[in-house]
Amino acid sequence: MNPTPLAKGFCFGEGPRWFEGLLWFSDMLGEAVHTVDLNGSMTTLPLPGHAPSGLGFRPDGSLLIASTEARCVLRYDGETVTTIADLSAFAPANLGDMVVDDTGRAYVGSQAYEGGVIVRIDPDDSVTVVAEDLDFPNGMVITEDRARLIVAESIGRRLTEFTIGADGALAERRVFADGLDGPPDGIALDADGAVWTSMTLAHQFERILPGGAVTDRIDIGDRAAIACAFGGPGRNLLFLLSSTDAYPQRLVGTQLARLDVVKVETAGAGLP
């Protein structure tokens, strides 16, 4: 599989999400959220004073945005940006990725190297810690049956799975895949239950089955694989965000990040 470049000219892309014919993603160091269409045309929502990361859409179409250093979640309704939840009392470290379910519940990771947590924001914007003691929780997906949540633990080099309760609680923690080739970052789920994972320091994206077997690899040379997401009309396009360095602080002021796209055999499934 050979990816095709789609867009560039931004600093550090994170949190890609396909919504209403566009790929939305955060430019964490550029203090903005961008959209890109399938022709590569890009628009920008400026977010001065915020370093956005995880994104997710509620059923009403509003966009939720995790502001990493401010440790809060913003809401963009198409016109204005407001703060809906201050997570500073719940999050031991900066915020990272996010996944939003069909009811509008948002699961947001706090990226502590040890003792990381997942925080749930309910549709009424109340806050609950639903998972603890994670090693740098990163990308998250919810399975097609809405019964399981899978999270990448970057420092742990594993994918971890939880059962989702009717009330949105997370329970029955277990390993989905362990001993990965590199620290996993953003992830995406396909219709066969495999997880595409961004292997930052391994410079590739990998398709991983439950248990850890790797069926496909997309090599991106000397670039750091940051995040991936399914999209397109048939949801069989895999969008790939990469950078020249896995450590954002080294990239301030640059515009070297890139968005590529590749057509895959098995389409995306579940959420986002």
Side-chain angles (χ1 to χ4, degrees):
M1 288 179 284
N2 297 312
T4 300
L6 186 63
K8 58 183 180 179
F10 52 95
C11 190
F12 194 86
E14 267 284 10
R17 298 289 182 260
W18 181 261
F19 183 70
E20 293 188 343
L22 297 169
L23 188 79
W24 301 64
F25 65 93
S26 292
D27 187 352
M28 192 164 66
L29 300 179
E31 299 187 348
V33 169
H34 302 297
T35 67
V36 176
D37 65 18
L38 292 179
N39 296 315
S41 178
M42 189 162 66
T43 65
T44 299
L45 169 66
L47 293 170
H50 291 281
S53 185
L55 302 179
F57 289 90
R58 278 184 163 169
D60 63 1
S62 60
L63 173 65
L64 301 187
I65 306 164
S67 181
T68 59
E69 296 175 359
R71 300 187 193 181
C72 67
V73 173
L74 312 175
R75 176 179 178 268
Y76 174 58
D77 64 4
E79 295 184 359
T80 59
V81 177
T82 56
T83 300
I84 65 162
D86 182 352
L87 304 186
S88 57
F90 304 90
N94 289 352
L95 304 184
D97 218 322
M98 175 195 305
V99 64
V100 180
D101 73 11
D102 303 290
T103 72
R105 292 182 296 216
Y107 295 86
V108 187
S110 175
Q111 297 179 325
Y113 285 80
E114 296 178 352
V117 304
I118 298 174
V119 177
R120 190 188 72 232
I121 304 172
D122 287 324
D124 64 359
D125 298 334
S126 60
V127 177
T128 306
V129 175
V130 290
E132 298 178 295
D133 298 322
L134 297 164
D135 297 331
F136 206 92
N138 219 319
M140 286 181 280
V141 294
I142 293 173
T143 55
E144 183 74 13
D145 59 6
R146 309 307 194 253
R148 296 172 290 132
L149 181 146
I150 302 168
V151 58
E153 291 189 73
S154 296
I155 298 301
R157 294 200 176 198
R158 73 177 69 91
L159 302 176
T160 297
E161 186 176 68
F162 294 89
T163 298
I164 304 174
D167 60 354
L170 301 183
E172 299 173 354
R173 176 177 177 172
R174 63 268 188 192
V175 172
F176 180 94
D178 207 352
L180 303 184
D181 293 332
D185 193 332
I187 63 176
L189 181 71
D190 74 18
D192 289 338
V195 173
W196 277 98
T197 306
S198 311
M199 294 294 188
T200 54
L201 302 182
H203 309 291
Q204 59 190 358
F205 295 85
E206 294 184 356
R207 183 177 182 268
I208 301 174
L209 298 176
V214 177
T215 66
D216 298 274
R217 289 183 170 89
I218 301 173
D219 188 276
I220 52 170
D222 60 354
R223 298 181 68 81
I226 303 299
C228 56
F230 282 104
R235 209 176 174 190
N236 61 347
L237 299 179
L238 187 65
F239 295 91
L240 312 171
L241 282 167
S242 65
S243 180
T244 56
D245 199 304
Y247 300 95
Q249 63 270 24
R250 299 175 182 172
L251 298 170
V252 175
T254 67
Q255 289 191 323
L256 301 175
R258 193 175 74 206
L259 173 66
D260 295 340
V261 62
V262 62
K263 189 173 183 179
V264 295
E265 183 176 340
T266 306
L271 298 171

